[in-house]
Amino acid sequence: GSNRAFLQEFKAIFIHLPNLLFADSFATNIESAGNLRVAETFQQATSPFVELRMKKESRGIDLKKTWTALSLTLCIALAASGAAVAAPKAESYDFYDTLRSINKRSMVYTVEDKPNLIFSPKIQQSQRKAYRKAIERSLAFWTKDVDLGEVNIFLWNPNDLRWAKSEYSRFFASWGYKADVLDADVVFYGGRNHCTGANLGSERFKRGTNEPTLVHNIRICVPGPRDESPSYWHVISHELTHVWQFSVMNLTQQKAPPLWLLEGMGYFYGMSLTGINQKNAVADIREHYNYFPIGNSGSKALVEKLRTNKISLEKILDTTASENAGFDSASTGNSYFFGSLVISHIVSKYGHDKFVEYYESFKQGTNYKENFLRIFGEDFGPFARSITPAVLKELGVSSRKR
């Protein structure tokens, strides 16, 4: 726990210690390999062996036995000095560690109710297996908290557009879904079609009947394997997070949380459940977030105002509250990026279960600041100000001294 940083430094030096120990300048080498406070601990622990080295007769000692004894001494030194050298217990935050913590937690759940999956012909078998696994794990993560009802997921490759339109019209006809909406999920460039989106529609009755129930219909455009980036993979769990949100609220839109919480939660849990565990995930996700401040003039100007204290993070989130914003591109974009980073800090500080309690508090009222104070016992304004430098950092922007 509190010794984590010390242990990392211990490991970094420990694996190089045979070379460091028998070098000409023990202290200089060990300090160059790690933190000074660790170097001091090592120097105290290994001083008897260093003194042996300084003597000519030490050249004939059994280095294997010496290294065994040294290892034991170092372990004892670590245990004895841990409380003294460890940094004081304090809140620590790392965006990617927070994503990984949720991903790790999701591994322990299993899903009983399988979703209804529809794959278009050109989606490869290896992809189908990976998508099925990701979907079931994400569903298992959310079904532990609430009954999600019926979940239908339509996955289609852009090269199957004709088939997809025909099958989509047939399967979703009961809810009046039109096949032309699939055109908005792809864009043609570089000589081929590329996926650009996904969509969720939640309904109150079963297909082909008037029987009341909660039904969630998701469509996801699936690219070829070479186009599957970690930020793309997040789309799966993003939409399934919305399934959980709407199930918790039972589609009571009058009590809808602010947009930053809805879309920010989809982004954060999407990246956590099916994004961070992909190849090159950290680099891809970082690039994704770093693009936001330069993606368009509006987001660039907004981030600059935040950096120079001309607008607060709290005020940015206020503009996405349900009474202040619709689903326009500006408020939605702000909700994805700022919302997900704020939620990451909340989850890091208070934990996933407490965050779930916060979301469910919107059943009683939609004022996110009042709910925040009631659930966490902390005013939102100071909290938002305290995390602003870290939010800017994740967006690739250095914050000015505040």
Side-chain angles (χ1 to χ4, degrees):
S2 61
N3 283 341
R4 182 176 180 182
F6 179 81
L7 289 170
Q8 291 175 335
E9 294 158 359
F10 176 95
K11 180 179 178 182
I13 296 177
F14 189 87
I15 60 176
H16 296 297
L17 197 54
N19 294 329
L20 296 170
L21 181 59
F22 296 99
D24 286 335
S25 178
F26 171 77
T28 301
N29 278 275
I30 202 166
E31 287 174 18
S32 68
N35 188 286
L36 178 60
R37 64 186 174 85
V38 182
E40 291 172 348
T41 301
F42 272 75
Q43 197 161 15
Q44 293 169 7
T46 58
S47 57
F49 299 98
V50 177
E51 290 173 6
L52 281 176
R53 174 197 169 275
M54 300 297 289
K55 298 178 182 179
K56 290 183 179 180
E57 58 266 29
S58 68
R59 294 178 180 176
I61 65 173
D62 188 329
L63 294 184
K64 183 176 181 181
K65 291 181 180 179
T66 301
W67 181 242
T68 301
L70 175 59
S71 301
L72 179 60
T73 302
L74 292 174
C75 290
I76 294 172
L78 174 64
S81 63
V85 301
K89 187 167 179 148
E91 295 172 9
S92 60
Y93 170 79
D94 180 86
F95 178 52
Y96 302 98
D97 282 348
T98 307
L99 296 179
R100 292 186 191 98
S101 70
I102 296 299
N103 187 274
K104 182 178 180 180
R105 176 172 176 153
S106 73
M107 299 289 187
V108 303
Y109 302 109
T110 57
V111 62
E112 296 182 1
D113 297 325
K114 304 291 184 182
N116 181 27
L117 302 182
I118 304 168
F119 292 97
S120 74
K122 286 188 171 61
I123 297 177
Q124 299 178 14
Q125 288 300 321
S126 59
Q127 288 181 287
R128 297 186 186 202
K129 182 178 179 180
Y131 278 91
R132 185 174 285 108
K133 181 178 179 181
I135 289 167
E136 291 181 358
R137 185 155 62 85
S138 296
L139 277 176
F141 181 80
W142 289 121
T143 52
K144 62 184 174 56
D145 293 318
V146 67
D147 180 7
L148 302 182
E150 179 183 328
V151 180
N152 302 307
I153 306 179
F154 187 84
L155 302 103
W156 65 286
N157 182 280
N159 294 321
D160 288 324
L161 184 57
R162 181 177 296 179
W163 176 94
K165 284 188 172 184
S166 173
E167 188 65 15
Y168 189 83
S169 296
R170 183 191 67 79
F171 188 86
F172 296 107
S174 297
W175 295 291
Y177 293 8
K178 304 298 183 183
D180 289 344
V181 296
L182 299 182
D183 293 327
D185 294 346
V186 294
V187 62
F188 186 84
Y189 67 89
R192 59 194 179 96
N193 286 318
H194 298 264
C195 294
T196 60
N199 183 267
L200 164 67
S202 294
E203 310 293 343
R204 293 181 179 274
F205 59 93
K206 286 185 177 181
R207 182 168 69 103
T209 73
N210 289 322
E211 182 181 346
T213 189
L214 200 57
V215 181
H216 307 283
N217 300 317
I218 300 173
R219 70 173 190 269
I220 299 176
C221 182
V222 177
R226 65 175 178 172
D227 294 325
E228 292 178 332
S229 65
S231 52
Y232 165 78
W233 267 92
H234 106 280
V235 169
I236 299 168
S237 294
H238 183 128
E239 297 303 330
L240 290 173
T241 298
H242 287 327
V243 166
W244 178 86
Q245 291 173 330
F246 297 151
S247 298
V248 166
M249 293 297 173
N250 198 22
L251 300 182
T252 308
Q253 296 302 317
Q254 293 84 354
K255 296 179 180 179
L259 200 55
W260 72 262
L261 189 57
L262 287 170
E263 293 300 346
M265 192 175 167
Y267 230 48
F268 170 73
Y269 281 98
M271 294 294 185
S272 297
L273 295 171
T274 50
I276 193 63
N277 58 335
Q278 304 300 318
K279 185 178 180 181
N280 300 321
V282 171
D284 177 84
I285 295 172
R286 179 176 289 119
E287 181 181 4
H288 193 68
Y289 276 87
N290 288 178
Y291 180 77
F292 175 70
I294 62 175
N296 60 67
S297 58
S299 59
K300 182 178 181 180
L302 185 63
V303 171
E304 180 59 17
K305 285 183 178 180
L306 180 62
R307 188 188 74 81
T308 56
N309 295 315
K310 293 178 181 178
I311 192 172
S312 67
L313 181 58
E314 182 181 3
K315 184 63 176 178
I316 292 173
L317 298 181
D318 283 344
T319 64
T320 76
S322 57
E323 64 270 20
N324 298 327
F327 283 83
D328 59 272
S329 59
S331 61
T332 303
N334 296 341
S335 298
Y336 282 121
F337 289 93
F338 288 114
S340 59
L341 293 173
V342 169
I343 289 168
S344 175
H345 280 274
I346 296 174
V347 172
S348 176
K349 184 173 183 178
Y350 293 105
H352 167 74
D353 292 333
K354 200 68 176 176
F355 176 76
V356 166
E357 185 181 341
Y358 175 57
Y359 185 87
E360 291 180 336
S361 72
F362 286 84
K363 294 176 183 178
Q364 283 74 49
T366 60
N367 188 309
Y368 75 87
K369 297 173 192 177
E370 291 179 359
N371 292 349
F372 193 88
L373 178 60
R374 186 168 70 254
I375 300 301
F376 301 118
E378 179 179 4
D379 285 325
F380 186 82
F383 171 79
R385 288 192 293 274
S386 72
I387 68 173
T388 296
V391 168
L392 286 167
K393 181 181 177 181
E394 291 306 330
L395 294 174
V397 178
S398 297
S399 60
R400 196 168 70 176
K401 282 189 177 181
R402 297 178 180 271

